[in-house]
Amino acid sequence: MPPLIAKWNELKDEDKDLFPLLECLSSVATALQSGFLPYCEPVYQRCVTLVQKTLAQAMMYNQHPDQYEAPDKDFMIVALDLLSGLAEGLGGHVEQLVARSNIMTLLFQCMQDTMPEVRQSSFALLGDLTKACFLHVKPCIAEFMPILGLNLNPEFISVCNNATWAIGEISMQMGAEMQPYVGMVLPHLVEIINRPNTPKTLLENTAITIGRLGFVCPQEVAPQLQHFIRPWCTSLRNIRDNEEKDSAFRGICVMIGVNPAGVVQDFIFFCDAVASWVNPKDDLRDMFYKILHGFKDQVGEENWQQFSEQFPPLLKERLSACYGV
């Protein structure tokens, strides 16, 4: 760290040699985690300053293009990415730094920038700050959500991807208070998950966010179940067990409880998605068990036999071994 910090101190804010250094520090901060604490204050402050300077310069240029030069927005982009690295690496420790800065105000401006790369980095930072110190994000939600909704546009894949992920993280923190915003984002998410040729990562992220929205606001999301359940199941069957997948599947189970009719047509896809779990937590496994047995009891033994005849042998074997159906 000392040589990196020495380099950091000798470079001016306008020097493009800052780019590789900021990118390097971002990786270091993420890896060192709380080990980065002794260095975080000046690094954090400078990133905020870089964002602020670039925004100010952009404003001057927009008002008087004949008198001012257009700023190089890469300074802002790498600064936002380093702030993301700090939030991810320091977790809750970043809270005091955020408290003493105007980063939320700056972020509000960056999220509306005309340049997609700036918006992309802004939404990544928003998601990371949501995980690290939601108490500072929460007062801004009413202003931020409409902007996130507007950016659910798959023409800009990376912007859309990060906005989608941030909405999922915000949902998990907001809980039932997410209700007023469901209408703003759900129609876009359902459209994206049904689009042909949507890239795999965007599909997975969209499915996870729909599941998370449904987990916290099942009454609002469950009525749409039949419009997304099939692509939802096919998008998430290939991802490995993790926290995001866990929260998304809990959401789907809760929604099936609210609107069981929504899954009937595509129940085979749900079975296949459940079987993709290697090791679900016990209470999630119980949720799967109840839904599978509930469906089997509903249709009766004979119909279930006919239905499960369509299963590929491996799926049949797995459901029988794990869930006794």
Side-chain angles (χ1 to χ4, degrees):
M1 282 305 297
L4 285 175
I5 295 293
K7 184 83 178 148
W8 171 266
N9 289 331
E10 92 195 23
L11 290 173
K12 291 199 165 41
D13 282 353
E14 300 72 42
D15 195 328
K16 289 193 176 177
D17 287 344
L18 268 177
F19 298 162
L21 181 58
L22 286 160
E23 281 170 11
C24 164
L25 283 173
S26 180
S27 305
V28 171
T30 309
L32 281 182
Q33 296 184 341
S34 58
F36 197 79
L37 275 172
Y39 312 100
C40 67
E41 183 116 16
V43 172
Y44 179 90
Q45 288 309 339
R46 186 163 192 185
C47 287
V48 171
T49 305
L50 284 168
V51 173
Q52 202 159 351
K53 278 186 176 175
T54 313
L55 285 171
Q57 205 182 329
M59 205 158 119
M60 311 265 267
Y61 171 73
N62 290 336
Q63 287 166 355
H64 309 282
D66 46 336
Q67 292 169 33
Y68 295 98
E69 270 184 47
D72 182 344
K73 288 187 180 171
D74 284 346
F75 282 104
M76 182 153 75
I77 294 165
V78 285
L80 289 166
D81 291 345
L82 176 44
L83 287 169
S84 278
L86 287 176
E88 197 185 330
L90 298 174
H93 294 295
V94 84
E95 191 273 318
Q96 304 133 333
L97 296 169
V98 174
R100 295 198 295 269
S101 70
N102 60 342
I103 188 63
M104 298 317 296
T105 314
L106 299 174
L107 194 51
F108 181 61
Q109 292 172 265
C110 294
M111 285 165 58
Q112 299 174 82
D113 198 272
T114 50
M115 192 173 173
E117 291 80 0
V118 175
R119 299 201 303 279
Q120 174 187 336
S121 294
S122 308
F123 297 137
L125 177 55
L126 177 61
D128 283 318
L129 289 175
T130 296
K131 289 174 83 166
C133 55
F134 188 63
L135 78 139
H136 295 297
V137 178
K138 195 174 180 187
C140 312
I141 291 298
E143 291 179 308
F144 284 10
M145 284 312 296
I147 301 172
L148 285 163
L150 284 174
N151 280 277
L152 295 176
N153 171 5
E155 270 178 70
F156 301 103
I157 294 295
S158 302
V159 179
C160 184
N161 208 3
N162 288 0
T164 302
W165 174 70
I167 291 166
E169 291 297 339
I170 290 167
S171 302
M172 294 309 285
Q173 298 283 351
M174 289 284 279
E177 290 178 62
M178 194 66 186
Q179 194 186 340
Y181 308 109
V182 173
M184 248 175 232
V185 297
L186 185 63
H188 300 296
L189 295 169
V190 173
E191 193 182 322
I192 292 167
I193 205 169
N194 282 296
R195 270 173 63 112
N197 308 324
T198 300
K200 190 165 153 296
T201 22
L202 182 54
L203 277 179
E204 289 169 2
N205 258 328
T206 305
I208 286 166
T209 295
I210 290 175
R212 290 176 146 190
L213 264 180
F215 181 61
V216 296
C217 299
Q219 300 298 336
E220 287 70 30
V221 186
Q224 297 293 317
L225 202 50
Q226 72 221 52
H227 301 299
F228 61 75
I229 186 74
R230 183 185 289 199
W232 191 94
C233 292
T234 50
S235 308
L236 291 188
R237 68 181 298 276
N238 294 320
I239 70 167
R240 63 175 194 278
D241 298 8
N242 62 25
E243 282 302 316
E244 293 189 347
K245 183 174 176 176
D246 178 276
S247 55
F249 270 81
R250 285 170 195 275
I252 270 298
C253 291
V254 176
M255 288 189 272
I256 290 172
V258 172
N259 177 17
V263 73
V264 171
Q265 292 294 294
D266 297 303
F267 199 70
I268 190 165
F269 291 93
F270 176 74
C271 295
D272 179 55
V274 166
S276 77
W277 276 89
V278 179
N279 212 348
K281 290 180 182 161
D282 290 345
D283 58 335
L284 183 61
R285 187 188 293 270
D286 289 344
M287 290 166 114
F288 294 157
Y289 184 93
K290 284 186 181 123
I291 291 172
L292 292 168
H293 279 269
F295 188 85
K296 185 179 175 180
D297 298 344
Q298 196 75 39
V299 299
E301 190 63 47
E302 199 178 318
N303 286 332
W304 176 264
Q305 285 309 327
Q306 282 182 327
F307 174 68
S308 59
E309 283 308 310
Q310 314 164 46
F311 292 178
L314 202 64
L315 174 59
K316 203 170 177 175
E317 221 171 277
R318 199 158 168 77
L319 288 177
S320 153
C322 300
Y323 301 98
V325 287

